[in-house]
Amino acid sequence: MAFYIARRLFWTAIVVAAVIAITFVVFYLLPAGDPALRFAGKNPNAQQLDLIRHRLGLDQPWYIQFFKFIKNFFTGDQYGWPGLGYTFAGQSSVLHLILDRAPRTLLLIAGAAVIWLFSGVTIGIISAVRRRTIIDRAAMGFALFGISAPVFWLGLMGLYIFWRQLGWSSGTGYVSPADSITGFIGHMWLPWVVLAMLYAAFYARMTRNNLLETLGEDYIRTARAKGLTERQVIFKHGLRASLTPIVTMFGLDIALLVGGAVITESVFNLQGLGYLAINGATTQDLPTVLGVVLLAALAVALMNLVVDILYAFIDPRVRYA
Amino acid sequence: MTSSSGERMLDVRGLTVRFPTSDGIVQAVSDVSFALSRGETLGIVGESGSGKSVSNLAIMGLLNRARTVISGEVEFKGRDLLTLPPDELRKVRGKEIAMVFQDPFACLHPMYRVGAQIAEAFTAHSDAGKHAAWSRAVELLDHVGIPNAKSRARDYPHQFSGGMRQRAMIAMALVHNPDILICDEPTTALDVTVQAQILELIEDVKREFDIGVILVTHDLGVVAETANSVMVMYAGRVMEYGPAAEIFRHPQHPYAWGLLDSMPTIERRLDALVPIEGSPPSLLAPPSGCPFHPRCPYRFEPCATKLPPLKVPADGAHLDACHLPYDKKVELGAQRAKKVAA
């Protein structure tokens, strides 16, 4: 097991390094303008631009910049560890920026994940057990709606109904739970639900299909032949096997959202990591983009690792493979 | 226990199973009747799709009641299992009637320890604690010949070989000393060398626990080794039914001849094997008259129109369902025997 984890960790590091390198190369091979120009303000002369390029390190070849970035990442820079540099736009260090924005995104994901996991799996189980009844059809109708409705539309409709009309939501923006826990929940519950909708729908369908497939397995017939009750058959023998793929999906979905909850973030004006990434990309702020990409890649790689280890505990067949 | 060998335990009368599908009704089992006594092994033989397994699943109540129409009677200890409420039937399953299935690879849950799965079969019908159930599981694993049962009980199914898994399935079936053990093709998925061991184990178990065994198979060799009586099924119907020795010595039905002639033995060369021409009929639209007539080399005028009843054709003979006159069957049977001997 220790060897297994070590091997996985090694590959995780390789993957993250590759992601950084690719981001670097893409950024330099596809420049839509000179970052120095943006930094310099109005009507700069060539001397000023050269000075700025030098200060930002842009006058060095990209591989030197890459090497420096990697070195700073591991050894830290004057803004702390891990060293992510200073933004080109110049308001703050990237590390500070990320530490400031990350809680918004992470709390958004955490709340939504809890909602979608419980509602999705519950709906899926009910649907599978009550297959071909009105309940099943209603649940799968909801799933179809959840999967097809675009998040921005759901978000805007939610805001209109629950904020403008009913006043149940405190609307857009972000309030830190450290400042006001009721304000935090008042602002967050709607984005949680909206973000969870798509995933809940997906998980409901997955749970239903997996459970139905599992219930057709021979070992389920064995469980019935033993004289177990239908409840034991479904919840012990059926669920155990059908929830394993869902664990995998759950881990990866959470990780992907670290850099990918942009739409929800912007509809509700939460200004989290997605907002940082978009902002960084449009203003050619390489350090900011690299910081967010690195965090997102790390999240995916680490979640992958966690899922793999978890999987080995859930499914004994993986352990010895 | 007040059991005595020979006591009649199971009486199946007129069992019929239909599956309504979108293409029409599939009649998988038609009017099947048989009986099983304590200490008896009944072999049920037939090609795939002849209704062998479905009959047994119907007896066990393992067919989805919402999607099957079952009629007839399955009398077990004075009760009709077919009309028993689901929860009453559940108490019979695994306790009084236990079942071993064809594919031991697929029949054990891949994520639970073998011992736990057997222990679970025990606690399903008893208030015993976890500890007692586990000891029972180990005891039975040891009994069915798993070496180091105590530590092997902690293994997962994928750590067992095919034969060991089937042994574990048999152990699971025995936890409550059942009256009847139904083995549905228990050796089909196993290596030939292991097949014999499993059959031997089933025989041993039958004697030690004094139970009745229903052995479903398409392998006549398996039946010849162990069965006391044999029922030959075709297209969901009983073709021939009687004591095993008689069926093998004086088979009466052309289908049984076909089965016997297509069976390889040590003495017979492969080119001496005679396959039954054609394939089994669709149960969605079975042939008129005798279901076997399209493949039967001895068919004559009534076969295509009239269903032959299952009856004893003459004194000293056993049940069959064939229009051929009895002396004709004896004559053809004798010719066949001579050809086989040659």
Side-chain angles (χ1 to χ4, degrees):
Chain A
M1 196 70 191
F3 178 71
Y4 173 76
I5 294 174
R7 204 177 49 188
R8 293 300 321 225
L9 268 175
F10 171 73
W11 284 110
T12 302
I14 300 272
V15 166
V16 172
V19 168
I20 297 294
I22 291 168
T23 312
F24 230 88
V25 169
V26 167
F27 204 88
Y28 279 95
L29 291 186
L30 304 168
D34 190 345
L37 263 177
R38 196 179 288 275
F39 190 81
K42 277 181 186 165
N43 306 322
N45 59 33
Q47 207 181 355
Q48 280 173 312
L49 281 177
D50 282 344
L51 194 68
I52 291 166
R53 286 200 190 100
H54 180 71
R55 246 199 3 235
L56 298 179
L58 291 170
D59 54 345
Q60 289 158 321
W62 68 269
Y63 50 87
I64 300 284
Q65 295 183 43
F66 178 63
F67 179 75
K68 267 195 175 155
F69 178 82
I70 295 287
K71 180 176 154 273
N72 280 341
F73 177 76
F74 283 110
T75 56
D77 56 15
Q78 65 260 49
Y79 313 108
W81 189 92
L84 294 171
Y86 208 73
T87 65
F88 284 173
Q91 334 87 320
S92 74
S93 80
V94 175
L95 183 64
H96 174 80
L97 212 54
I98 284 180
L99 287 180
D100 183 45
R101 301 309 173 117
R104 303 169 177 221
T105 299
L106 296 183
L107 287 169
L108 171 68
I109 297 171
V114 170
I115 295 174
W116 92 58
L117 185 65
F118 281 100
S119 59
V121 169
T122 310
I123 292 171
I125 294 172
I126 294 173
S127 222
V129 173
R130 299 255 173 276
R131 179 154 68 130
R132 293 189 190 155
T133 61
I134 302 255
I135 301 173
D136 178 26
R137 285 184 212 286
M140 286 306 107
F142 155 77
L144 190 64
F145 171 76
I147 289 172
S148 8
V151 170
F152 66 86
W153 179 81
L154 270 182
L156 292 176
M157 289 308 285
L159 280 173
Y160 176 73
I161 294 171
F162 294 107
W163 181 30
R164 279 299 150 97
Q165 298 297 316
L166 299 173
W168 295 355
S169 158
S170 317
T172 57
Y174 177 79
V175 172
S176 164
D179 298 337
S180 155
I181 195 80
T182 50
F184 170 72
I185 291 173
H187 278 95
M188 287 304 272
W189 76 262
L190 194 55
W192 281 340
V193 171
V194 167
L195 182 58
M197 265 298 251
L198 168 70
Y199 291 91
F202 211 74
Y203 279 53
R205 257 160 80 147
M206 221 168 78
T207 306
R208 175 183 184 271
N209 294 348
N210 285 351
L211 189 56
L212 284 179
E213 202 185 306
T214 309
L215 290 179
E217 294 282 352
D218 284 352
Y219 53 77
I220 296 296
R221 191 183 53 192
T222 308
R224 291 207 174 98
K226 280 187 215 179
L228 296 182
T229 61
E230 202 53 25
R231 182 181 292 265
Q232 288 170 308
V233 170
I234 290 169
F235 286 93
K236 194 170 169 199
H237 290 248
L239 265 193
R240 174 74 189 259
S242 40
L243 284 188
T244 345
I246 293 194
V247 169
T248 317
M249 267 226 329
F250 188 60
L252 288 185
D253 281 339
I254 286 182
L256 285 174
L257 277 177
V258 168
V262 186
I263 300 176
T264 315
E265 280 180 20
S266 51
V267 168
F268 293 96
N269 195 24
L270 296 175
Q271 306 201 353
L273 292 173
Y275 168 84
L276 265 193
I278 295 285
N279 231 11
T282 48
T283 58
Q284 273 140 30
D285 199 339
L286 178 63
T288 311
V289 173
L290 276 178
V292 179
V293 167
L294 185 64
L295 187 69
L298 269 178
V300 172
L302 283 179
M303 267 324 237
N304 232 326
L305 182 67
V306 169
V307 164
D308 279 346
I309 293 170
L310 214 60
Y311 214 95
F313 278 103
I314 297 174
D315 191 339
R317 285 168 298 182
V318 177
R319 237 172 285 167
Y320 304 91
Chain B
M1 216 180 269
T2 58
S3 64
S4 64
S5 240
E7 164 204 3
R8 175 78 71 94
M9 288 187 302
L10 186 72
D11 230 320
V12 177
R13 285 185 293 267
L15 181 67
T16 299
V17 181
R18 294 188 189 90
F19 300 107
T21 69
S22 51
D23 297 325
I25 292 172
V26 173
Q27 184 146 341
V29 177
S30 308
D31 197 20
V32 166
S33 303
F34 62 87
L36 184 74
S37 306
R38 200 177 280 284
E40 178 189 356
T41 300
L42 166 68
I44 303 183
V45 205
E47 286 167 275
S48 321
S50 58
K52 311 166 293 209
S53 298
V54 174
S55 313
N56 287 299
L57 292 175
I59 293 170
M60 286 286 279
L62 287 176
L63 295 171
N64 188 333
R65 281 192 182 192
R67 271 177 285 158
T68 34
V69 183
I70 307 176
S71 58
E73 276 172 62
V74 177
E75 193 187 314
F76 172 71
K77 290 185 170 173
R79 291 180 296 177
D80 182 5
L81 295 185
L82 293 185
T83 55
L84 226 49
D87 203 53
E88 291 295 307
L89 187 59
R90 181 185 70 73
K91 288 176 188 157
V92 174
R93 268 203 302 262
K95 185 162 190 243
E96 292 165 287
I97 306 181
M99 198 157 177
V100 173
F101 298 98
Q102 173 174 346
D103 186 359
F105 292 88
C107 284
L108 287 164
H109 198 296
M111 298 178 189
Y112 291 107
R113 295 177 199 280
V114 174
Q117 298 190 47
I118 299 173
E120 189 187 30
F122 190 59
T123 46
H125 302 288
S126 98
D127 298 327
K130 264 193 167 163
H131 206 76
W134 186 268
S135 328
R136 176 83 179 140
V138 172
E139 177 193 335
L140 277 157
L141 279 174
D142 184 55
H143 197 95
V144 296
I146 302 284
N148 301 323
K150 201 167 180 181
S151 64
R152 293 315 292 263
R154 295 185 52 77
D155 278 356
Y156 289 94
H158 68 271
Q159 293 165 285
F160 271 37
S161 69
M164 283 167 76
R165 281 182 232 191
Q166 198 59 296
R167 282 173 195 270
M169 287 296 291
I170 293 171
M172 188 188 291
L174 292 175
V175 280
H176 289 289
N177 299 334
D179 297 302
I180 297 174
L181 179 64
I182 300 176
C183 302
D184 189 353
E185 306 244 8
T187 58
T188 309
L190 303 175
D191 291 345
V192 186
T193 47
V194 181
Q195 287 183 1
Q197 295 170 9
I198 294 295
L199 287 175
E200 208 173 296
L201 174 63
I202 293 173
E203 270 305 285
D204 290 347
V205 154
K206 181 184 86 172
R207 238 172 292 122
E208 281 166 52
F209 289 75
D210 195 25
I211 54 185
V213 172
I214 298 178
L215 185 64
V216 178
T217 178
H218 61 253
D219 186 346
L220 278 172
V222 166
V223 172
E225 277 174 54
T226 56
N228 306 101
S229 44
V230 174
M231 182 164 84
V232 180
M233 285 186 75
Y234 184 78
R237 290 182 181 278
V238 179
M239 296 281 113
E240 187 163 354
Y241 178 29
E246 285 185 34
I247 299 249
F248 281 100
R249 220 169 299 143
H250 305 295
Q252 292 167 197
H253 197 288
Y255 179 60
W257 300 341
L259 281 182
L260 287 165
D261 291 345
S262 59
M263 180 177 84
T265 61
I266 293 283
E267 295 84 26
R268 212 179 312 163
R269 290 172 46 84
L270 199 64
D271 52 15
L273 296 184
V274 186
I276 306 175
E277 296 296 333
S279 50
S282 151
L283 294 171
L284 204 54
S288 59
C290 170
F292 187 57
H293 87 264
R295 302 170 75 188
C296 181
Y298 308 104
R299 63 173 174 263
F300 61 119
E301 151 267 319
C303 296
T305 50
K306 230 179 109 213
L307 183 72
L310 185 72
K311 61 177 194 331
V312 180
D315 283 346
H318 53 265
L319 286 166
D320 70 17
C322 180
H323 287 307
L324 284 173
Y326 183 61
D327 37 349
K328 183 83 175 162
K329 283 179 210 166
V330 172
E331 188 194 321
L332 287 167
Q335 280 175 20
R336 192 196 138 260
K338 222 182 283 170
K339 222 184 336 178
V340 171

